[in-house]
Amino acid sequence: MPKVARLHAILWGVFSMGGFIAAFLLPVLIYLVGIAYPLGLWPVTNEDPTSAILNHHHIGTLFLFVTVAGSLYHGIFRFQSTLTEVGLARAKRALEAIGYLIIILGILATAIYLLQYNPSFFSLP
Amino acid sequence: MSKEKPFPEYRRKLGPGWWLSNGHFTQYMIREWTSFFVAVFSLIYIYELSLFASGAKDSALALMRNPGIIAFNVLALLFTLYHASTWFYLIGKVQPIKLGKTTSKPWQALLLNIVLLLIISYAVIQIFIVR
Amino acid sequence: MSQDVATVRVTRYRPEKDGEPFFQDYKVPYRKDMVVLDALNYIKANLDGTLTYRWSCRMGVCGSCGASVDGVPKLTCASFLHEFKGRTIKVEPLPHFPVIKDLVVNMDDFMHKLVEIKPWIIRDKESPPEEGEYRQSAEELERYQQFSSCINCMLCYSACPVYGLNEKFLGPAATALAYRYIKDSRDQGKDARFPIVHEIEGVWECTLVGECSVVCPKGVDPMLAIQKTKILGATNALKSLLMPRGGGK
């Protein structure tokens, strides 16, 4: 008997949220961290962008977590599904498992690193 | 329903290169491959965050100045922007806005969301970097 | 009236003789108002009586004459020969479906899916005819009207690589029709239909290629129906997660 795939539905919802995050928040992060700072382009500052964002305490840390976790989820989920469409259909289950493993570990690692850098995140300002 | 079939039916299979057969499919595949750049940039950046967290800020900054990484980042930005524009266009297709008798077109959603993207990006730079 | 001659390259598959399909070329004289289906009828009547294909209405209503014309799924009754002037017109059986003979494909899979989504109005309790019809406003009709134009021609399935890769995928037309009833104000069958469209091989397999909506000869937008059904499924699942009792209906 067919059954509503609840978990699948929720995971698709998260994937979709990740798509919005990667579209609206990721480009500026790539530009600041990966292009503008190393090449000395606008906005030129003394402090590197990652430190600047992290030193902006809660809101900066939250911005990084949402952007990185959302983009990672979206990117990995979509990429493993694309691989099944170009000849790896047989490895579908394995790709899904590896994909979710990378997503879970990546998001956990992001949270841990951010808290390590900014341990007071959960204490009130 | 399981009638005996007297002659075999011919089954065709979709090969791994199916997306080259039609321009729409090729465009679709490029759209899906943007996810590779989104995923790999995220992973590289998580690694950089680990260096920041362990106090090795200088090696993180050195990694960012690596020409190979910069070249990848430029590609990643282009592909992420392509992802953004396809995503914005599809939002307009799936959730058009109705105002009275007129319904919004996908390209209007694309334009509106590009403006929104620029505002958000500028705000991020103003709040976190320029201050 | 001047006549041109078209070269029509048709897939032949004779299961009793051949292990593999092959192409056969026919020369067909045509006028400006003739379509690919007319060419096939001309071949059958004048050149080769063994050519096998499905057709019925000749006017884009019955949905039986679909084939891949020049690599694109089309109704052969709506593809004019003069559009291919100077080129060989390749006519192949609809992609992704098993071929029975020549241009005739096996539609069993689609027929099962069509029945599975229960394409009729479901009521908790039927009211007797004396109580009158189930009334509907123009706005309520508009919510599903385009999805009711489907003629089951299966072009969308032939255009869908996701279906081509995974036959279990519920696919465009069946989902569009399910959505047509989900959106119908007179229908009360959500509990029966959601398990089918929101099953693991239901809408979640779709990766939004969008070609289904491009090839549809009746202007139906199955891609939209699938996306809307996904959003419904995700919202329902989230509701039932946050409110385990009574939510997610």
Side-chain angles (χ1 to χ4, degrees):
Chain A
M1 269 304 275
K3 228 180 88 196
V4 170
R6 285 245 164 83
L7 182 65
H8 233 70
I10 289 172
L11 292 177
W12 178 83
V14 179
F15 160 77
S16 188
M17 287 289 294
F20 280 95
I21 291 167
F24 280 113
L25 300 179
L26 188 61
V28 69
L29 184 67
I30 299 180
Y31 174 74
L32 286 173
V33 170
I35 299 170
Y37 179 72
L39 295 180
L41 304 175
W42 178 85
V44 186
T45 45
N46 295 326
E47 207 178 16
D48 76 278
T50 306
S51 304
I53 297 171
L54 285 172
N55 293 340
H56 212 87
H57 270 58
H58 294 59
I59 180 90
T61 308
L62 195 65
F63 164 77
L64 277 191
F65 179 73
V66 168
T67 307
V68 174
S71 303
L72 181 77
Y73 191 110
H74 179 81
I76 298 279
F77 187 95
R78 196 171 187 180
F79 185 59
Q80 62 86 19
S81 135
T82 304
L83 288 179
T84 64
E85 295 181 352
V86 292
L88 293 177
R90 277 153 177 253
K92 192 177 162 133
R93 294 276 163 260
L95 282 168
E96 242 173 50
I98 297 169
Y100 280 122
L101 190 69
I102 298 175
I103 288 169
I104 292 168
L105 291 180
I107 292 178
L108 270 179
T110 309
I112 291 169
Y113 297 146
L114 289 174
L115 286 177
Q116 222 175 323
Y117 190 91
N118 188 2
S120 66
F121 184 78
F122 286 111
S123 59
L124 291 170
Chain B
M1 283 299 278
S2 60
K3 273 178 293 179
E4 196 68 36
K5 293 206 177 77
F7 296 112
E9 290 173 351
Y10 187 76
R11 284 179 179 269
R12 294 160 290 176
K13 258 204 170 143
L14 217 50
W18 59 268
W19 48 278
L20 292 165
S21 68
N22 164 329
H24 293 155
F25 291 163
T26 313
Q27 247 180 323
Y28 159 79
M29 207 35 108
I30 295 170
R31 188 190 87 194
E32 294 308 285
W33 271 85
T34 59
S35 64
F36 171 80
F37 294 92
V38 170
V40 173
F41 177 82
S42 307
L43 288 173
I44 293 175
Y45 193 59
I46 292 171
Y47 174 66
E48 287 185 356
L49 285 180
S50 82
L51 294 175
F52 268 90
S54 60
K57 183 172 153 181
D58 290 340
S59 40
L61 295 181
L63 183 71
M64 281 179 203
R65 289 203 189 86
N66 179 311
I69 299 274
I70 296 176
F72 172 83
N73 288 337
V74 171
L75 276 181
L77 180 63
L78 291 176
F79 275 91
T80 307
L81 288 173
Y82 184 64
H83 154 73
S85 51
T86 55
W87 196 265
F88 296 158
Y89 187 80
L90 287 168
I91 294 171
K93 272 198 145 173
V94 176
Q95 299 280 49
I97 300 164
K98 264 193 182 171
L99 281 176
K101 290 238 176 221
T102 52
T103 308
S104 69
K105 299 269 177 297
W107 64 266
Q108 290 169 319
L110 174 64
L111 279 184
L112 190 75
N113 282 308
I114 286 177
V115 172
L116 200 58
L117 169 67
L118 289 174
I119 293 173
I120 290 174
S121 303
Y122 187 71
V124 166
I125 291 173
Q126 282 301 318
I127 294 169
F128 297 125
I129 310 295
V130 181
R131 269 180 274 183
Chain C
M1 201 180 256
S2 72
Q3 279 204 335
D4 279 312
V5 176
T7 310
V8 185
R9 179 168 291 173
V10 188
T11 304
R12 302 299 312 269
Y13 174 60
R14 302 170 301 185
E16 73 285 6
K17 287 188 206 154
D18 320 311
E20 293 260 311
F22 60 96
F23 285 119
Q24 195 163 348
D25 287 7
Y26 301 98
K27 298 268 183 216
V28 179
Y30 69 95
R31 294 184 317 263
K32 202 172 180 283
D33 59 355
M34 278 174 67
V35 291
V36 173
L37 178 60
D38 293 324
L40 296 175
N41 284 336
Y42 178 89
I43 297 167
K44 189 155 178 92
N46 302 296
L47 307 175
D48 186 347
T50 67
L51 183 66
T52 309
Y53 51 96
R54 285 197 183 103
W55 66 286
S56 177
C57 78
R58 297 176 296 152
M59 48 195 281
V61 172
C62 75
S64 26
C65 71
S68 165
V69 179
D70 209 30
V72 181
K74 282 181 176 169
L75 295 180
T76 55
C77 71
S79 314
F80 283 93
L81 290 164
H82 68 79
E83 286 169 16
F84 303 89
K85 196 173 170 151
R87 281 190 290 150
T88 302
I89 309 169
K90 223 180 195 184
V91 184
E92 297 162 279
L94 284 176
H96 311 328
F97 293 100
V99 185
I100 296 173
K101 188 176 193 302
D102 296 343
L103 298 176
V104 176
V105 295
N106 184 339
M107 339 195 289
D108 286 357
D109 181 53
F110 174 62
M111 289 302 149
H112 286 142
K113 284 171 178 159
L114 206 54
V115 177
E116 203 185 7
I117 57 109
K118 307 182 199 303
W120 53 82
I121 286 178
I122 299 171
R123 300 285 295 185
D124 294 337
K125 210 171 139 249
E126 293 281 346
S127 59
E130 303 84 69
E131 287 178 20
E133 55 281 87
Y134 302 125
R135 298 181 68 114
Q136 191 164 57
S137 70
E139 288 77 33
E140 286 167 333
L141 170 68
E142 205 190 306
R143 274 182 222 149
Y144 69 85
Q145 194 169 27
Q146 68 135 314
F147 302 107
S148 63
S149 304
C150 175
I151 55 172
N152 305 334
C153 65
M154 314 195 298
L155 298 195
C156 53
Y157 281 79
S158 280
C160 175
V162 178
Y163 178 67
L165 291 163
N166 177 10
E167 209 188 54
K168 287 187 189 147
F169 172 41
L170 184 60
T175 311
L177 209 54
Y179 187 70
R180 176 241 173 279
Y181 286 96
I182 289 170
K183 276 283 143 184
D184 192 321
S185 59
R186 300 163 298 179
D187 187 78
Q188 298 166 332
K190 288 187 180 65
D191 288 343
R193 275 186 207 101
F194 279 160
I196 297 145
V197 290
H198 291 149
E199 199 199 359
I200 219 149
E201 310 279 2
V203 286
W204 312 115
E205 280 288 301
C206 168
T207 56
L208 239 168
V209 181
E211 195 67 0
C212 50
S213 303
V214 174
V215 300
C216 178
K218 305 309 277 185
V220 179
D221 192 348
M223 184 269 259
L224 179 67
I226 295 178
Q227 288 315 300
K228 294 272 193 196
T229 309
K230 277 183 187 173
I231 295 170
L232 265 179
T235 343
N236 285 346
L238 200 65
K239 270 188 208 153
S240 67
L241 193 75
L242 299 177
M243 303 178 284
R245 277 168 222 203
K249 274 286 160 85

